Amino acid sequence: ISERVAQLPWAVRADVTSVERTRIQQALLGLKTAAEGSDILKAASLTDIVPTTDKEYDDVRKMIRAVTAERY
């Protein structure tokens, strides 16, 4: 069993306002505690959505590089 690996990131277009970004982020981060949130997470095969940083994807990049020699 490996250590936890960050899943695919969620992103928004550059033209999305900071207010809209905050609303989207709050909605995603609140899924675990929302009434219908557990069903949404389950449908996506997720248990939770948590904030992360780009650095947390370094191990994913290493795995990709080791398998495909591609650099991200």
Side-chain angles (χ1 to χ4, degrees):
I1 297 176
S2 69
E3 292 185 32
R4 292 181 66 161
V5 176
Q7 295 288 329
L8 296 174
W10 292 77
V12 295
R13 295 186 325 243
D15 64 342
V16 174
T17 69
S18 62
V19 171
E20 291 171 313
R21 288 179 194 177
T22 299
R23 287 182 181 158
I24 292 167
Q25 183 181 42
Q26 289 173 343
L28 291 171
L29 295 177
L31 282 175
K32 191 169 185 174
T33 58
E36 65 282 350
S38 61
D39 291 336
I40 294 168
L41 290 168
K42 186 176 179 180
S45 299
L46 299 171
T47 56
D48 200 1
I49 294 178
V50 297
T52 189
T53 63
D54 184 67
K55 182 170 178 35
E56 293 180 70
Y57 288 90
D58 287 349
D59 288 337
V60 175
R61 291 182 188 100
K62 287 178 190 175
M63 286 188 284
I64 291 170
R65 204 170 19 252
V67 173
T68 67
E70 294 178 18
R71 298 181 85 68
Y72 292 93

